[in-house]
Amino acid sequence: DTDMPRLEVTTFKGKNMIRSIVFSSVFCALGSVVAAAEPEVLFATHCAVCHGDDRLGGLGPALIPESLRRLKGDKLEAVITHGRDATQMPAFGDQLSTEDIATLAAFLHEPLPEIPVWDAAKIESTLIVNEDYTAPTGPEHKADPLNLFVVVETGDHHISVLDGDTMEVLNRLPTPLAVHGGPKFSPDGRYVFVMSRDGWVQKVDLWNMSEVARVRAGVNSRNIAMSGDGKWLAVANYLPMTLTILSTEDLSVAEVKDIVGKNGEASRVSAVYQAPPRESFVLALKDVPEIWEVFYGEDPPFYGFVHDFRDEGPLGYDEPFPVRQITLPDVLDDFFFSQDYEYVMGASRDGQGGQVVDLVIGHKIADLDLPGMPHLGSGITWERDGTTVMATPHLRDGVLSVIDMENWETVDQITTEGPGFFLRSHENSNYLWADVFFGPNRDVMHVIDKQSLEIVKTLRPAPGKTAAHVEFDRYGKYALVSLWDQDGAVIVYDAATLEEIKRLPMVKPSGKYNVFNKITFSAGTSH
Ligand code: DHE
């Protein structure tokens, strides 16, 4: 053995790391036993400057298993070798051996040695206020403020603000890296909040289309939800296993709730949803069979007569944001709510079905016959044959299920050219638009009659390029489709004639969100 300093692999940070590299080099020069390609050293030398000494992100995204889950197999090695187009991620294929790249990739898939503390003080320390922002006294553009679209361009991490009448791009702003899920609007439509997978929440004022501030509410986050009164923004986190509640006013922290099931097990939050009529946020938990309801109203409803949860432990009604924990027979991943927010439909984790839970009584009331991994989060409802029906795509099967919301039975299954991801319609449109997101036909978009459930047209806007995610303008006159490509576009269609009207070049536009449809909770869009 030797008295010489060793690499501290679990506690290294900044300067320690640099020291470690120096020591390693010394070891090597002296013919020491320390391997040249220690993963920590590789990381410090090549990655830390952009991704942070602690792997929690910086100029580049966090490099932790929770963020890299989608880079399965050798995909991460491929990114390290070849870099990423249209980003600042360089190719390391010329500098590192195949073996070093494999070592590095394996290291990045390892969990962090310790889960970082991400409490209120830490979150607030990340706040970045835009010094150039001055609050305007009214909209500083001529467009209808309620007919704006926010388009998320994931290809180069921007949002574009689009005038929904003229279909002109009014402004383009940088966002945090890797935005996921739908941005959420304040109830008056003035502000929009955007979230990234690394937990950054950005507040943008649409009156002058400027960033107000951003804060990192989690280390790895899932999505955000706006309270019905517009005061709070809830952030669902995987890492740490918490729900962060921010004040929408200044992004200060109102609460960080640890998520621990009745069995004492901590759980990640798959997603948080708003349930405005109930003055609550509803949480889907990833690791325990429970739904949580977190109330934000002054006088939380349902407390007086729902006894089963009152009996189940301390509720802390005097505390802000009291929690109701509803036990389920199974873990549910993906949710869809009835328009009145009484019923929540949830998909089982095994992808073999689902359940309906009545939030008023706090119990499962029906099973859903939905094999093939339904993507309930993309569901939409409309009126058909005197009843409300809901349609959902399936991530594994080329089929859309249509469910009667009164008896929860599947009334039809529409066969498509492949599994889809998103569905959209509008109260003023006779059609629903369903993308094919997976497989050889992912460049097609089906337009389906809401009454006959027949496909009336299959569009192929750019052969070979994924066409996905539709959103209507506030009047249901236009349907906007994303060409999900670096060299992509948002394509504007006449929603009645289905003719293309305009193509707006965009950089991998994922979702687009119309202010009016969102703040009025249009049945044809996501909430
Ligand atoms: Fe999403 C919304 C979960 C992968 C693009 N996605 C959502 C929501 C959830 C969710 C819970 C609803 C949140 C909201 O809007 O408030 N997504 C998941 C997953 O569990 C999954 C399958 C795996 C994961 O990596 O997290 C997943 N999602 C993807 C993608 O690979 C997509 C296609 C590309 C991307 O950006 O990562 C993707 N998800 C989206 C988009 C929305 C979304 C564009 C918003 C839809 C909307 O119109 O509201």
Side-chain angles (χ1 to χ4, degrees), residues 131-391:
E131 302 294 344
D132 296 331
Y133 168 79
T134 326
T137 51
E140 293 184 351
H141 56 76
K142 297 213 161 48
D144 172 0
L146 299 189
N147 201 18
L148 298 177
F149 284 84
V150 170
V151 185
V152 174
E153 292 178 73
T154 50
D156 65 351
H157 315 288
H158 277 71
I159 51 171
S160 282
V161 183
L162 193 60
D163 178 334
D165 292 302
T166 62
M167 295 298 164
E168 301 289 336
V169 175
L170 300 176
N171 203 358
R172 203 164 181 269
L173 284 84
T175 63
L177 303 173
V179 166
H180 176 241
K184 300 289 150 42
F185 296 95
S186 54
D188 61 0
R190 172 174 173 184
Y191 297 103
V192 64
F193 296 82
V194 175
M195 187 216 75
S196 78
R197 287 186 185 264
D198 284 349
W200 284 98
V201 173
Q202 179 187 34
K203 177 177 177 181
V204 171
D205 187 340
L206 290 172
W207 279 2
N208 59 359
M209 294 172 285
S210 297
E211 171 165 350
V212 180
R214 64 176 77 184
V215 74
R216 192 169 186 183
V219 174
N220 182 257
S221 304
R222 298 290 296 163
N223 78 324
I224 50 177
M226 169 71 60
S227 64
D229 58 10
K231 289 185 185 161
W232 315 110
L233 192 79
V235 187
N237 299 318
Y238 262 10
L239 194 71
M241 298 189 200
T242 53
L243 179 82
T244 304
I245 301 178
L246 301 172
S247 155
T248 51
E249 171 121 31
D250 56 3
L251 299 185
S252 60
V253 177
E255 177 102 355
V256 180
K257 257 189 204 308
D258 288 325
I259 308 297
V260 181
K262 289 179 188 165
N263 61 4
E265 215 177 285
S267 175
R268 294 166 289 175
V269 186
S270 293
V272 56
Y273 303 89
Q274 53 193 342
R278 304 177 58 76
E279 298 189 303
S280 69
F281 295 114
V282 179
L283 277 62
L285 303 193
K286 184 86 179 163
D287 305 302
V288 296
E290 289 176 23
I291 290 178
W292 280 29
E293 206 175 359
V294 176
F295 295 92
Y296 55 77
E298 290 287 311
D299 181 20
F302 315 109
Y303 283 13
F305 58 91
V306 179
H307 60 86
D308 60 339
F309 71 92
R310 294 199 77 151
D311 296 339
E312 290 172 357
L315 284 164
Y317 288 162
D318 298 337
E319 297 164 17
F321 309 111
V323 175
R324 172 191 183 192
Q325 292 173 252
I326 301 172
T327 306
L328 301 171
D330 193 7
V331 174
L332 297 182
D333 251 357
D334 193 15
F335 284 177
F336 181 79
F337 291 84
S338 57
Q339 281 289 100
D340 61 3
Y341 284 88
E342 173 164 356
Y343 301 105
V344 47
M345 302 162 75
S348 301
R349 178 186 285 179
D350 61 9
Q352 286 313 310
Q355 297 165 16
V356 183
V357 176
D358 182 331
L359 285 177
V360 172
I361 60 171
H363 285 295
K364 175 186 124 172
I365 54 152
D367 286 308
L368 293 167
D369 175 26
L370 287 173
M373 227 175 184
H375 192 219
L376 294 178
S378 289
I380 56 166
T381 58
W382 69 95
E383 299 305 309
R384 180 175 181 267
D385 289 343
T387 183
T388 304
V389 292
M390 178 265 191

